[in-house]
Amino acid sequence: MSVAVDADRSTGAGWSMLDFASACLDGGATLLQIRAKSMSSGALLEQSTNIAERAHHAGARVIVNDRADIARLSGADGVHIGQDDLSPGAVRDIVGAGAVVGLSTHTVTQIDAAVRTPVSYIAIGPVFGTVTKSTGYDAVGLERERIVAIEVDDATAHQCAGRYRRQGEAGVVDHRHRARRQGARQDEGGRGRGPHRRARGPDRRHGQRLR
């Protein structure tokens, strides 16, 4: 279970960020995403460090929104950035090869560009309308979300993005199902499945904590 630890929402509900994060961890959360758009750098570093320590003690991971420097200094597991933040390449230089780097995308063009960058996962949205933040983009619904939920044996994220442009959602989903059926047949034959390529969700290869 993943939970966004939003500074404004926590405070508005009478919680400190650490207390809210702790309650989420007690409830079984395994991934916390820290969001604090208006907090000072010093305060954000203190909050992120405390939350990361508590989360790691509970066996959970922490992602810091927007701030690669805070993620690195606090000992968080990674950072999630948007289209107007530092480039994925610059962020990767800051947090290192072992960190999780996520990137928000909102259009097919952004998805196509994102899969060529050193990110661990890409996210697309907003899927539904939200009042917690202004994205500047209309909700896209669940259909487009499927393009970044691809987990197949014989297709890269770039190929899936290309298939989306040519054939729309149905082409991507059909390709996903055919690939999984092929993988299941390989399992039955005792050959095992090949390496997965993920277009969404933290890549296990980049799941280490920041140092």
Side-chain angles (χ1 to χ4, degrees):
M1 179 175 65
S2 60
V3 179
V5 182
D6 185 283
D8 293 336
R9 291 283 165 174
S10 297
T11 302
W15 294 77
S16 70
M17 290 182 69
L18 180 58
D19 286 344
F20 178 72
S22 297
C24 292
L25 294 168
D26 290 342
T30 56
L31 176 66
L32 302 179
Q33 186 169 353
I34 297 174
R35 186 167 75 187
K37 291 286 187 181
S38 59
M39 186 174 290
S40 68
S41 295
L44 179 57
L45 177 58
E46 180 179 2
Q47 293 284 346
S48 299
T49 300
N50 291 336
I51 291 172
E53 290 177 353
R54 185 71 59 86
H56 293 158
H57 181 73
R61 296 196 291 175
V62 175
I63 302 296
V64 178
N65 269 21
D66 307 330
R67 297 290 299 272
D69 55 340
I70 298 296
R72 179 64 182 262
L73 292 170
S74 67
D77 301 276
V79 59
H80 185 93
I81 56 174
Q83 292 292 315
D84 297 327
D85 295 319
L86 291 174
S87 70
V91 168
R92 179 61 70 192
D93 288 342
I94 294 170
V95 298
V100 175
V101 176
L103 175 63
S104 290
T105 63
H106 312 283
T107 67
V108 174
T109 299
Q110 291 175 358
I111 294 169
D112 200 28
V115 297
R116 296 183 172 89
T117 65
V119 297
S120 309
Y121 69 93
I122 60 176
I124 186 169
V127 178
F128 305 108
T130 176
V131 297
T132 64
K133 61 185 295 187
S134 176
T135 65
Y137 295 91
D138 294 330
V140 297
L142 289 173
E143 287 303 308
R144 189 177 294 179
E145 178 75 0
R146 293 181 186 180
I147 190 175
V148 290
I150 303 300
E151 184 177 358
V152 296
D153 292 305
D154 61 348
T156 64
H158 173 63
Q159 290 169 333
C160 291
R163 182 176 289 268
Y164 174 85
R165 289 196 307 276
R166 295 191 302 272
Q167 300 180 16
E169 307 293 347
V172 174
V173 176
D174 177 67
H175 186 62
R176 178 187 184 185
H177 291 333
R178 285 190 292 108
R180 285 185 170 174
R181 286 198 298 269
Q182 180 181 2
R185 288 195 297 270
Q186 290 176 346
D187 279 343
E188 292 171 0
R191 293 189 295 271
R193 301 190 66 171
H196 292 289
R197 299 297 299 268
R198 295 183 65 88
R200 186 178 189 274
D203 191 326
R204 292 179 180 87
R205 295 171 298 175
H206 296 297
Q208 304 169 14
R209 297 179 190 171
L210 301 180
R211 301 298 182 192

